[in-house]
């Protein structure tokens, strides 16, 4: 009876409500009134809920509601892991990002430690009944996500989002591969729910949802999700049947499964590298990331800081696989991402923690189930197997992807459920009691700490991003003055976010306030001194200002040179530099930079067009013709490059070809003055 009183402690109800909200809201929450509609918004929300859960755990502990005790090896690994994460953050190259994460991901050390705290709270508090309820809530989130995915696959897109993925399915996760990864994580759970249903209607419902999840995963065209789905279903079957086999057969089947998976992944990787596309992009990113890893092998660069360092090793061929101007902020492999963020030591301890939890789950599966009465007190083995299969599927899928808020929260919830299922009931029978005055004071202090932490870490970023969104909307409506005020307010709430300073700088330059623009860009560069993109944006501001103050051209040149010094293999920087040089008549610089741009990116039509105009002005007609032909091949919808080709043909006396190229230019832009002028000249001849 005493144990029952502890279980029914009111704080336990609040705890269960909180982790149910985490499981339900994280995958479904979308905030359309901020710039970061998906990932960062989810993390601001989930961090708040996790910290509330920790406070409830602490308050329960203060009132003698004792949690279960984690095994000593898991306790030790968690303490060491958190200490290493803290040390890596302290030695990071950018402390703010390492703590809070980047603006669009928000996946810094604070978030990772929050996941570990979520695991501790769930593992030490949840019981079998609550575990089943939590799993069912997670499964039900697949209903709106899957239906939404089908609707988007059919062409319905109500959300104002853009995706460059092969599939236009974004659902409430933000991208097709994120949607596929989340649904793949749910597959073993949904299949187990179908097999555990007590009536035919439930079996039909869960079975239909399982098929729906498979269909949407197929529509996402996300190969990592397909791999995770196969691994999850295969492991679910193996966990449920392998314990009946002799030990030797179990080991042989496990080794055969691992070998089959390894060979399959290698074959997929080899085929993907040969065929191009996303897999060869992953391979290229991995190779460059390994070059970054060695100098900071032991403690990494700090969480979420890859995008600050990747430009220094940017492989120029990557532009052919994932497009021009795409920022690489993840290695797309959880082993590499963890090693780059926190170092190889933290990665090994993280792997060891996963191993300890899965070993607990395996031992639980090895224990006999003693009938109905026991099943009421302990989580049935089939659910433990489903949780283990889903967690392993997540790890395998993330060899080609990375965790997002929805998959990370569910992964750590499942890890907590697996651990809790293997822990014995708490033998303590300490009666519940009102806390002493000191404990009450500690709880009050905890509440104040929670409020302060939520305000600083979650609400201030939310307010800043909402004002940034208002600024963007004002720009779309043609009101840069209002946009500037909104961006200034965003900077007020988040002065350490370079993106808000950049938005303010570019808007200030647009309204002609160049002093404010330069000051804002200076603040952004001070926050991210190794970011080459900021120097190109500063150069653009100087170039704009040069229309009023010509001497600013030298400063623009200097900014481009600094960007190239930081990341010499990014073709887009050379192209923009060449464009500025061409516009001010510096043919030598334009020629040099345009040539460098096309050497790094042979598909850059803009760079070829700039190169063509420089060579045309220098009288190199054959070279200019070749450059313009490449320009119109890669940028066929720009009237200027067709005009350049027409000009070359006209100067070579090939008037038929010149007329044809000129006609293309005027079709694209009938009012294009230079093309009309050339047409008039040719008519006069």
């Amino acid at each position: 009876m005493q144990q029952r009183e502890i279980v029914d402690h009111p704080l336990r109800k609040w705890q269960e409500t909180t982790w149910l909200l985490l499981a339900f809201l994280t995958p479904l929450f979308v905030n359309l009134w901020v710039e970061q509609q998906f990932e960062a918004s989810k993390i601001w929300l989930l961090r708040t809920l996790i910290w509330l859960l920790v406070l409830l755990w602490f308050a329960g502990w203060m009132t003698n509601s004792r949690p279960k005790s984690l095994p000593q090896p898991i306790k030790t690994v968690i303490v060491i892991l958190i200490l290493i994460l803290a040390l890596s953050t302290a030695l990071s190259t950018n402390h703010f990002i390492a703590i809070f994460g980047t603006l669009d991901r928000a996946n810094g050390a604070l978030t990772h430690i929050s996941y570990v705290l979520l695991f501790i709270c769930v593992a030490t508090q949840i019981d079998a009944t609550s575990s089943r309820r939590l799993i069912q809530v997670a499964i039900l989130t697949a209903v709106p996500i899957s239906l939404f995915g089908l609707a988007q696959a059919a062409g319905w897109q109500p959300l104002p989002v853009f995706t460059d993925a092969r599939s236009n399915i974004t659902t409430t996760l933000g991208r097709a591969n994120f949607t596929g990864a989340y649904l793949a994580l749910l597959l073993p759970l949904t299949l187990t729910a179908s097999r555990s249903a007590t009536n035919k209607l439930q079996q039909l419902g869960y079975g239909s949802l399982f098929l729906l999840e498979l269909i949407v995963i197929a529509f996402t065209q996300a190969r990592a999700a397909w791999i995770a789905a196969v691994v999850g279903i295969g492991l679910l079957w193996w966990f449920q049947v392998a314990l009946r086999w002799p030990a030797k057969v179990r080991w042989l089947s496990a080794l055969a499964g691992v070998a089959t998976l390894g060979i399959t992944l290698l074959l997929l990787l080899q085929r993907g590298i040969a065929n191009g596309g996303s897999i060869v992009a992953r391979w290229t990113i991995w190779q460059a990331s390994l070059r970054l890893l060695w100098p900071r092998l032991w403690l990494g660069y700090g969480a979420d800081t890859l995008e600050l360092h990747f430009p220094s090793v940017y492989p120029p061929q990557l532009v052919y696989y994932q497009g021009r101007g795409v920022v690489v902020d993840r290695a797309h492999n959880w082993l590499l991402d963890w090693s780059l963020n926190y170092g190889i030591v933290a990665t090994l301890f993280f792997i060891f923690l996963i191993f300890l939890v899965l070993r607990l789950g395996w031992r639980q599966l090895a224990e006999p189930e003693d009938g109905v009465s026991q099943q009421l007190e302990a989580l049935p083995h089939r659910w433990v197997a489903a949780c283990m299969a889903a967690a392993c599927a997540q790890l395998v899928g993330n060899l080609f992807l990375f965790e997002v808020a929805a998959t990370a929260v569910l992964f750590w919830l499942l890890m907590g459920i697996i651990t809790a299922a293997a822990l014995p009931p708490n033998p303590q029978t300490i009666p519940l009691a009102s806390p002493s005055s000191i404990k009450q004071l500690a709880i009050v202090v905890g509440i104040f700490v929670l409020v302060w932490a939520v305000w600083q870490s979650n609400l201030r970023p939310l307010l800043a991003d909402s004002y940034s969104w208002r600024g963007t909307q004002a720009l779309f409506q043609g009101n840069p003055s209002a946009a500037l005020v909104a961006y200034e307010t965003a900077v007020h709430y988040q002065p350490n976010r370079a993106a808000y300073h950049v938005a303010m700088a570019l808007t200030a330059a647009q309204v002609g306030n160049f002093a404010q623009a330069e000051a804002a860009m200076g603040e952004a560069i001070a926050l991210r001194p190794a970011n080459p993109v900021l120097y190109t944006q500063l150069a653009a501001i100087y170039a704009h200002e040069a229309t009023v103050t010509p001497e600013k051209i030298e400063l623009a040149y200097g900014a481009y040179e600094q960007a190239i010094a930081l990341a010499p293999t990014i073709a887009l920087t050379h192209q923009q530099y060449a464009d500025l040089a061409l516009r001010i008549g510096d043919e030598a610089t334009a020629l040099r930079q345009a040539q460098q741009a096309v050497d790094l990116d042979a598909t850059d039509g803009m760079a070829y067009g700039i190169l063509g105009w420089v060579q045309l002005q220098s009288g190199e007609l054959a070279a200019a013709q070749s450059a313009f032909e490449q320009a119109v091949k890669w940028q066929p919808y720009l009237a200027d490059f067709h005009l350049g080709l027409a000009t070359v043909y006209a100067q070579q006396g090939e008037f038929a070809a010149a007329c044809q190229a000129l006609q293309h230019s005027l079709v694209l832009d009938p009012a294009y003055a230079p093309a009309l002028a050339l047409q008039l000249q040719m008519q006069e001849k």
Side-chain angles (χ1 to χ4, degrees):
M1 185 65 185
Q2 182 65 46
Q3 180 66 23
R4 187 65 185 171
E5 289 178 1
I6 293 176
V7 171
D8 286 340
H9 191 287
L11 289 177
R12 297 290 180 89
K13 299 297 183 183
W14 284 101
Q15 288 170 335
E16 181 176 3
T17 301
T18 304
W19 61 56
L20 289 177
L21 284 174
L22 272 166
F24 182 77
L25 291 178
T26 304
L28 298 179
F29 180 70
V30 179
N31 187 350
L32 299 178
W33 293 273
V34 293
E35 297 275 13
Q36 309 304 325
Q37 300 171 339
F38 294 99
E39 197 62 14
S41 292
K42 292 176 187 293
I43 286 182
W44 297 330
L45 174 63
L46 72 86
R47 282 199 309 226
T48 300
L49 291 174
I50 290 173
W51 299 346
L52 174 60
L53 186 62
V54 172
L55 178 64
L56 293 171
W57 186 96
F58 175 72
W61 185 78
M62 283 291 185
T63 55
N64 288 343
S65 177
R66 299 303 187 193
K68 298 177 184 177
S69 180
L70 291 173
Q72 190 58 45
I74 290 182
K75 288 182 184 178
T76 303
V77 170
I78 286 175
V79 170
I80 294 174
L81 185 61
I82 291 177
L83 288 176
I84 296 174
L85 265 57
L87 181 59
S88 172
T89 303
L91 299 177
S92 171
T93 55
N94 189 306
H95 294 101
F96 183 84
I97 292 178
I99 295 171
F100 298 101
T102 57
L103 178 60
D104 52 344
R105 300 291 183 197
N107 204 21
L110 204 59
T111 302
H112 283 134
I113 293 174
S114 297
Y115 291 145
V116 178
L117 294 176
L118 172 64
F119 164 73
I120 295 171
C121 291
V122 173
T124 58
Q125 298 281 11
I126 201 167
D127 56 23
T129 302
S130 297
S131 294
R132 286 193 291 267
R133 202 150 38 221
L134 178 58
I135 293 170
Q136 288 167 354
V137 167
I139 293 171
L140 289 177
T141 62
V143 175
I145 290 174
S146 298
L147 293 176
F148 194 9
L150 281 183
Q152 288 182 318
W156 184 57
Q157 180 56 278
L159 297 178
V161 296
F162 168 78
T163 178
D164 57 355
R166 290 186 297 172
S167 170
N168 63 348
I169 294 176
T170 59
T171 65
T172 56
L173 280 299
R175 279 182 67 91
N177 47 0
F178 301 162
T179 300
Y182 182 72
L183 293 179
L185 188 55
L186 290 177
L187 280 176
L189 306 177
T190 309
L191 183 58
T192 301
S194 176
R195 297 176 61 187
S196 304
T198 56
N199 59 65
K200 290 185 178 181
L201 183 61
Q202 288 181 339
Q203 289 178 348
L204 178 62
Y206 282 119
S208 301
L209 181 58
F210 177 79
L211 292 176
L212 186 59
E213 290 168 355
L214 286 175
I215 292 171
V216 176
I217 290 173
F219 277 134
T220 64
Q221 303 181 52
R223 279 167 285 198
W226 300 346
I227 294 169
V230 172
V231 169
I233 295 172
L235 279 175
L236 177 62
W237 171 81
W238 189 83
F239 283 139
Q240 292 177 335
V241 302
L243 285 168
R244 306 172 197 161
W245 301 340
K248 186 177 181 179
V249 176
R250 283 203 304 269
W251 278 105
L252 288 175
S253 65
L255 291 174
V258 171
T260 301
L261 176 63
I263 292 171
T264 302
L265 294 180
L266 287 175
L267 290 175
L268 288 173
L269 184 61
Q270 182 183 35
R271 182 179 178 184
I273 293 172
N275 296 337
S278 60
I279 290 183
V280 70
R282 302 283 193 275
W283 177 250
T284 306
I285 291 172
W286 295 345
Q287 290 176 302
S289 297
L290 286 172
R291 291 164 54 196
L292 274 178
L293 178 60
W294 180 252
R296 307 270 297 201
L297 180 65
W298 301 111
L299 291 173
Y301 293 87
D304 237 10
T305 58
L306 180 61
E307 72 172 66
L308 303 180
H309 304 285
F310 195 83
S312 65
V313 295
Y314 185 88
Q317 68 272 23
L318 190 59
V319 73
Y320 303 137
Y321 312 135
Q322 66 174 25
R324 201 169 294 115
V326 176
V327 175
V328 176
D329 60 355
R330 291 291 184 276
H332 291 80
N333 177 287
W334 70 269
L335 292 169
L336 265 177
D337 278 319
W338 260 83
S339 298
L340 288 165
N341 286 340
Y342 301 115
I344 193 70
V345 179
T347 305
L348 292 175
F349 274 99
F350 179 52
I351 293 171
F352 190 40
L353 175 61
I354 295 169
F355 167 76
L356 291 175
V357 172
L358 293 179
R359 187 179 67 168
L360 278 179
W362 178 257
R363 289 178 176 177
Q364 177 69 7
L365 294 180
E367 294 289 333
E369 291 188 289
D370 298 328
V372 176
S373 61
Q374 174 65 20
Q375 291 183 34
L376 293 175
E377 299 295 332
L379 189 67
H381 288 4
R382 58 181 175 272
W383 285 113
V384 177
C387 293
M388 292 173 65
C392 292
Q394 158 89 338
L395 295 171
V396 174
N398 279 352
L399 292 174
F400 293 89
L401 193 59
F402 52 87
E403 67 176 18
V404 293
T407 57
V409 163
L410 186 53
F411 173 81
W412 286 104
L413 286 171
L414 295 178
M415 293 276 283
I417 290 172
I418 295 167
T419 305
L423 296 181
N426 194 334
Q428 296 179 345
T429 58
I430 300 174
L432 300 178
S434 299
S436 64
S437 57
I438 295 178
K439 291 182 178 180
Q440 289 178 354
L441 178 61
I443 294 173
V444 171
V445 170
I447 293 173
F448 276 106
V449 170
L450 172 66
V451 172
W452 175 83
V454 169
W455 167 250
Q456 293 292 337
S457 303
N458 303 331
L459 291 181
R460 285 177 66 95
L462 175 64
L463 287 172
D465 215 50
S466 68
Y467 277 103
S468 179
W469 175 81
R470 295 178 195 179
T472 302
Q473 298 301 307
L475 284 179
F476 286 152
Q477 295 167 6
N479 191 350
S481 297
L484 183 58
V485 173
Y487 290 134
E488 289 170 345
T489 309
V491 168
H492 168 74
Y493 282 111
Q494 284 285 274
N496 292 311
R497 289 296 184 192
Y500 298 144
H501 290 280
V502 171
M504 184 170 68
L506 297 177
T507 308
Q510 185 175 340
V511 300
N513 190 343
F514 294 111
Q516 184 181 13
E518 291 182 28
M521 281 304 305
E523 291 288 341
I525 291 172
L527 293 169
R528 291 190 173 195
N531 189 338
V533 176
L534 298 182
Y535 287 97
T536 62
Q537 292 168 325
L538 177 61
I541 291 174
Y542 283 139
H544 189 186
E545 190 176 359
T547 58
V548 179
T549 312
E551 57 267 22
K552 293 292 183 178
I553 285 295
E554 291 300 323
L555 294 176
Y557 271 28
Y560 277 125
E561 293 291 347
Q562 182 64 33
I564 291 171
L566 291 170
T569 56
I570 297 180
L572 187 59
T573 306
H574 295 278
Q575 179 229 94
Q576 293 170 345
Y577 193 0
D579 181 60
L580 172 62
L582 178 64
R583 284 189 280 113
I584 66 172
D586 185 356
E587 295 181 6
T589 301
L591 178 63
R592 183 173 65 255
Q593 295 301 326
Q595 187 62 59
Q596 184 67 22
V598 298
D599 289 343
L600 292 169
D601 180 3
T603 65
D604 189 349
M606 293 294 296
Y608 276 114
I610 295 168
L611 189 61
W613 282 115
V614 174
Q615 291 167 335
L616 178 60
Q617 292 173 9
S618 301
E620 301 175 18
L621 298 184
Q625 177 180 337
S626 177
F628 279 127
E629 287 172 347
Q630 289 294 316
V632 299
K633 173 184 177 181
W634 299 110
Q635 291 283 352
Y637 303 112
L638 287 181
D640 187 61
F641 298 156
H642 289 280
L643 171 64
L645 191 58
T647 305
V648 170
Y649 285 142
Q651 291 188 14
Q652 291 175 333
E654 302 177 21
F655 294 108
C659 288
Q660 185 177 7
L662 185 60
Q663 186 62 34
H664 280 300
S665 179
L666 289 171
V667 167
L668 293 169
D669 187 354
Y672 191 37
L676 293 173
L678 179 61
Q679 184 182 51
L680 183 60
Q681 292 175 12
M682 292 177 62
Q683 288 174 350
E684 291 175 351
K685 292 182 179 180

